[in-house]
Amino acid sequence: MRPLFLISHLSIKNVCKSLCFGLLFVIYASITTAFASPSGYQEDDITQGTLEYFQQNQVIQAFALDTQVSMDVSGLLNRVTVKQVFINDSDQWVNGRYLFPLPENAAVDSMQLRIGDKVIAGQIQPKKQALQTFENAKKQGKQASLLQQQRRNLFTSDVANLGPHEQLVVEISYQQKVEYRDGLFSLRFPLAITPRYNPQAQRTTEQPLLAMPSSANTATSAKHVRPALDVKMQVNIDAGFELTSLDSLYHPIKQSNVGNHYSVNFAGKQIADRDFVLQWQANVGAVPQAATFYQTGKTHLADNSDERSETAQRQPNPVDNNMYSLVMLMPPSVEVSEQHLIARELILVIDTSGSMSGQSITQAKQALQFALAGLRDIDSFNIIEFNSDVTMLSATPLSANSRNIGKANRFIQSLDADGGTEMRSALQTALVDSVQQDSDQTDAHSEMLRQVIFMTDGAVGNEHELYQLINDQLGDSRLFTVGIGSAPNSDFMRRAATMGRGTFTYIGNESEVQQKIEQLLNKIEQPVLTNIGLYYLDGSVPDYWPTTISDLYQNEPLWVSIKSASHQQQPIIVSGSINGQYWQQQLDFEENQAAKGIDLLWANAQITSLELYKDNASRDRVNKQVEALGLLYHLVTSQTSLVAVDVTPVNPLVDNPIDVQLQPHMPHGLNAAQSSQVLPQTGTASRLWLLIGFSLLGLGLLHYLWLRQRLPGQLLVIESHD
């Protein structure tokens, strides 16, 4: 006779299923959480910091790294030298890598390796060849350094065979132009890197550039306090006119001047956890309306011998008779009356991913509120927030009345930073024209300015996919990017705005939000100059970059780099449309200012444009063009690197060097789990799996306890088939 079942077979089965599935979900969630950062962030996890190695489960500081930045500003040009001092405090021979950011418009053209009194100039080589040269030197026990571009604004400096207690100095130099907007001159030097998120579809099994040590490598009994990375900053400004103000926005400085020459230094040691921004203002009468800088011949000679110094290399090349020009033109001042104001459809997009946590999300929410306050009755708007998912305030644009703005403000207050940075879906949603173009709406909508303001830190790794999306789906919209936080990915955001025929605005502090958002909204109410083109008097087109020029707004200058044969100099015509009317202005080169490094800016502008519109079909051709330009103009690019090698072997223990690893240094105000090196939530659903897992475990246990209470003292009997 079969035993009487006090608990049914089905009940026991359900309890077991709940417990098993709950346990599986918990395990899966734990694995997902543990591997979220390496798979989602890959090489971009690594931020600026100190160099360390691990020995016998102890964290040992290998390099006391000192970074010194020197800038020489002349008019609208800036020559920058970054000096990195590596001091091996250990008793080991070490190899190391240091990753650091540079401005996105930096034309990096020089590297020097200083070992005691010896100076070794870096040679420009194709990227693979330079890497092989460096690796061979490392194997041979030679001291060497390799400078590579990982991204447009992200570089690595590798050093090989640094002896015990030895000091090595790597000097990197680049050329850039000074920014000028709204009557203010400014320059920005990045001092930190926000880790970038790679969407699920973009993740690969490739190893990071520099793997982070696991927690298992560090003894739990040993407490290590990571020293902060200090930076020294020296800025010399020869403005050519008296300044009415000179301010550092985020760092305390000391300043002095002799006449129109100004000197700026950090006031004490400063931690490299947020970008350095310096801005200055001239008297109203000294504000330039046009400026032209020129250089005849190239900066660097084609023959890069080891004996040639940097100074010698930077002399103009007499073989190259081309003239390189950098032109800045201010658009005419145009007063826009109320009757000429055009209704706008303003799409406000806010990034609420984990990398925006802390001060960044606070600044972004304030920016949204100020943007709403600047809307007029004739305008319409919508808000899109994105992290791992995309959420819209409304399925269609809302009229800018008090009721809808109140609804929008409540929506903004509910926003919080969490999840991954799935920017593609957000961009795609924002660029889709939501107004149906039927016969009743076509005329009204054709008169509207459709403007997308995208607020983010830009911490993504799939930039090229996003560039392609903007290029394909922009239509008649204009894309304006607003960089939020202490260290936004300004390279991506500036280039996205360029493709979107808009502008890039940087907000690094809460106190700047209102002023900069109001300036942006007032500016974009009406473009001053559209459909801009350049040509010679004879109708031919000069070799200028960028070839696609964005609309110009009030107090927004036009920057163009031009290459022309020295024997064919003639005036250039700048043309465009103002309020639908044709406009042109002639640029004469009679008042050119001679300068150095203009060819570097021209070549860098061309490289930027080529890579911006690169796709799978043109990838090989563009890469070859970039490599040729890098070699010709001595520039570090995606296809070329600088390598410096001491010819004399110094390390007798080449088989036993310590490879140094990098400890992250997170940007100021970013709420991150610094001990685990994981940003707050990636694009995984680990928390959901944990919730499901523990819920199933709980249900299973509650079911078991209920049955025990319902049938006290009874035995669980499982059916026997005997």
Side-chain angles (χ1 to χ4, degrees), residues 50-53 62-63 94-97 210 658-662:
T50 58
L51 289 161
E52 301 174 342
Y53 71 91
F63 290 165
V94 297
N95 306 317
R97 167 175 287 188
L210 187 62
I658 298 294
D659 288 319
V660 183
Q661 297 192 343
L662 187 71

Side-chain angles (χ1 to χ4, degrees), residues 24-46:
L24 286 174
F25 275 119
V26 171
I27 294 172
Y28 176 76
S30 302
I31 294 173
T32 303
T33 303
F35 289 95
S37 182
S39 63
Y41 290 86
Q42 296 187 21
E43 78 267 15
D44 300 311
D45 293 7
I46 307 162

Side-chain angles (χ1 to χ4, degrees), residues 294-298 317-325 562-569 599 602 632-633:
Y294 81 97
Q295 173 183 318
T296 302
K298 297 197 301 290
N317 187 352
V319 177
D320 186 350
N321 294 319
N322 292 311
M323 189 174 83
Y324 301 87
S325 303
I562 305 171
K563 175 185 176 182
S564 57
S566 57
H567 64 277
Q568 294 181 342
Q569 295 303 309
D599 64 319
W602 176 86
L632 186 60
Y633 291 92

Side-chain angles (χ1 to χ4, degrees), residues 185-297:
F185 302 86
S186 66
L187 55 86
R188 180 162 70 91
F189 186 86
L191 290 173
I193 310 166
T194 300
R196 299 181 185 178
Y197 174 84
N198 282 310
Q200 298 274 359
Q202 300 293 317
R203 296 177 185 172
T204 68
T205 58
E206 296 179 0
Q207 294 296 316
L209 286 174
L210 187 62
M212 294 302 303
S214 67
S215 58
N217 291 335
T218 306
T220 57
S221 60
K223 185 177 181 181
H224 174 70
V225 180
R226 174 174 53 86
L229 173 64
D230 298 325
V231 176
K232 299 181 178 65
M233 184 72 64
Q234 169 73 42
V235 184
N236 299 309
I237 302 175
D238 182 9
F241 45 76
E242 183 181 356
L243 305 184
T244 59
S245 65
L246 177 61
D247 302 297
S248 170
L249 300 187
Y250 315 120
H251 298 83
I253 58 172
K254 299 182 295 183
Q255 57 177 289
S256 60
N257 71 286
V258 179
N260 294 332
H261 291 75
Y262 297 80
S263 179
V264 173
N265 294 274
F266 278 161
K269 294 183 178 180
Q270 299 297 317
I271 298 175
D273 65 347
R274 65 185 309 155
D275 293 354
F276 168 67
V277 178
L278 187 70
Q279 63 181 29
W280 57 96
Q281 190 169 23
N283 291 320
V284 177
V287 175
Q289 296 302 309
T292 305
F293 304 89
Y294 81 97
Q295 173 183 318
T296 302

Side-chain angles (χ1 to χ4, degrees), residues 6 707-716:
L6 301 179
L707 290 173
R708 287 290 301 269
Q709 185 178 10
R710 182 80 175 236
L711 302 168
Q714 303 297 324
L715 296 175
L716 301 181

Side-chain angles (χ1 to χ4, degrees), residues 324-436:
Y324 301 87
S325 303
L326 177 66
V327 176
M328 188 207 77
L329 174 66
M330 289 295 294
S333 296
V334 177
E335 295 293 334
V336 182
S337 63
E338 287 293 330
Q339 63 186 14
H340 291 105
L341 289 177
I342 302 176
R344 294 180 295 178
E345 179 188 343
L346 193 65
I347 309 300
L348 301 168
V349 187
I350 180 173
D351 180 354
T352 58
S353 64
S355 66
M356 288 284 290
S357 63
Q359 294 184 5
S360 295
I361 189 66
T362 302
Q363 295 167 18
K365 291 166 69 171
Q366 289 181 348
L368 283 178
Q369 292 172 328
F370 285 121
L372 292 175
L375 292 173
R376 304 156 303 179
D377 293 338
I378 61 174
D379 299 328
S380 61
F381 75 97
N382 206 346
I383 299 176
I384 300 172
E385 70 114 351
F386 72 96
N387 42 55
S388 300
D389 302 302
V390 176
T391 304
M392 301 178 66
L393 170 65
S394 172
T396 58
L398 302 173
S399 300
N401 54 48
S402 58
R403 178 181 179 182
N404 289 333
I405 289 178
K407 176 183 177 182
N409 281 320
R410 291 190 295 273
F411 177 81
I412 293 169
Q413 289 299 326
S414 67
L415 300 178
D416 195 15
D418 193 15
T421 314
E422 299 292 338
M423 192 176 293
R424 176 181 174 83
S425 299
L427 262 177
Q428 199 164 21
T429 303
L431 294 179
V432 171
D433 196 337
S434 56
V435 177
Q436 299 295 322

